[in-house]
Amino acid sequence: MAVHYSKIALALLAGILFAGFCILGTWQVKRLFWKLDLIERVEQRVHAPATDAPGPAAWASITPQTDEYRHVRLSGTYLPIFNTLVQATTALGSGYWLITPLRLADGSTVLVNRGFVAKRASIGAGTPPGIVEVDGLLRISETGGGFLRENSPATQHWYSRDVAAIAASHMLANVAPYFVDAKEKSETASDSPVGGLTVISFHNSHLVYALTWFALALMVAGITWWIVREDKRRRARGKKLDPSQESDHAGQD
């Protein structure tokens, strides 16, 4: 009787594992198609004609899903007194992003990542005077800091482009909840930061994960089939070698 219950328990466990792995595999397939759709939408945003950057009335509705990497344009006056350097690693090496607030005509402010500079001394890199036109990609604020490093507003050591924290450290008001990565050659002076280094990359291993879960489901099914087959063979051999059955046949003879 105990053996019978053990077989039932193993069968239930195998069924649960098989169903669970299939569910996880199916979920990863859905995530794969979601990610491919996201990548396609982002590519369309990046290469679409520039539109006006969202103003204060639209700030509350901005989300990564609908606005990240939008190609936008804006004009205003840079406030270089509030320049901020954020540690960066780029194709040009290690250095900093130079973030400068741009004061718009309506009085609002947008932080602009003007590009890469190699040294902290470059925080004073020549800022274009007067009204400037900025063409770039809308980016969502990066809160918290970098890997194992927290931003330190008090010492102006920044490891992520945290819009709210940077704005608060300079006591700036009416600041957009996003920043803009300036595109290449937005500034042409020899000592200008290098723009256009935005890396658009999405980690997409959902197909690998899906195949892994389905493979595990097949392994469970295969092992269960093998156990059932071996159990049947063992019982069949046991019946052939059962001496009580042989004595019964002998008595009948």
Side-chain angles (χ1 to χ4, degrees), residues 75-212:
S75 64
T77 305
Y78 277 130
L79 306 176
I81 191 175
F82 300 122
N83 278 347
T84 301
L85 291 177
V86 179
Q87 189 164 337
T89 300
T90 72
L92 300 179
S94 296
Y96 305 90
W97 298 122
L98 178 56
I99 310 294
T100 305
L102 185 72
R103 180 65 50 80
L104 278 57
D106 63 2
S108 65
T109 301
V110 175
L111 298 188
V112 176
N113 175 18
R114 292 165 55 199
F116 173 81
V117 293
K119 301 177 181 178
R120 290 194 67 87
S122 299
I123 193 169
T127 304
I131 297 177
V132 297
E133 302 286 335
V134 176
D135 185 1
L137 300 178
L138 185 151
R139 303 295 309 280
I140 302 299
S141 178
E142 302 167 345
T143 59
F147 180 67
L148 298 179
R149 292 181 174 182
E150 293 186 359
N151 293 323
S152 177
T155 60
Q156 287 297 298
H157 283 84
W158 301 92
Y159 303 99
S160 71
R161 291 164 290 190
D162 188 331
V163 171
I166 292 174
S169 73
H170 296 304
M171 293 184 289
L172 294 171
N174 200 24
V175 178
Y178 59 84
F179 64 94
V180 173
D181 274 347
K183 299 192 77 173
E184 186 177 5
K185 296 181 180 178
S186 289
E187 299 180 31
T188 57
S190 60
D191 60 347
S192 295
V194 181
L197 297 179
T198 304
V199 176
I200 303 174
S201 177
F202 295 91
H203 182 68
N204 187 9
S205 298
H206 298 297
L207 179 59
V208 174
Y209 296 151
L211 292 175
T212 299

Side-chain angles (χ1 to χ4, degrees), residues 2-79:
V3 174
H4 177 70
Y5 284 125
S6 296
K7 290 180 180 179
I8 293 176
L10 288 173
L12 288 174
L13 176 61
I16 292 171
L17 288 175
F18 180 80
F21 289 145
C22 287
I23 291 172
L24 289 171
T26 302
W27 177 66
Q28 286 296 338
V29 170
K30 292 181 179 179
R31 293 282 295 173
L32 170 64
F33 284 107
W34 170 82
K35 183 62 69 67
L36 292 175
D37 179 64
L38 173 63
I39 293 172
E40 182 180 358
R41 284 188 282 115
V42 167
E43 286 293 325
Q44 291 175 352
R45 293 175 201 162
V46 170
H47 299 293
T51 58
D52 291 338
W59 288 352
S61 61
I62 291 175
T63 66
Q65 293 75 20
T66 59
D67 298 282
E68 183 87 79
Y69 300 110
R70 278 177 56 185
H71 186 191
V72 298
R73 61 171 177 264
L74 60 166
S75 64
T77 305
Y78 277 130
L79 306 176

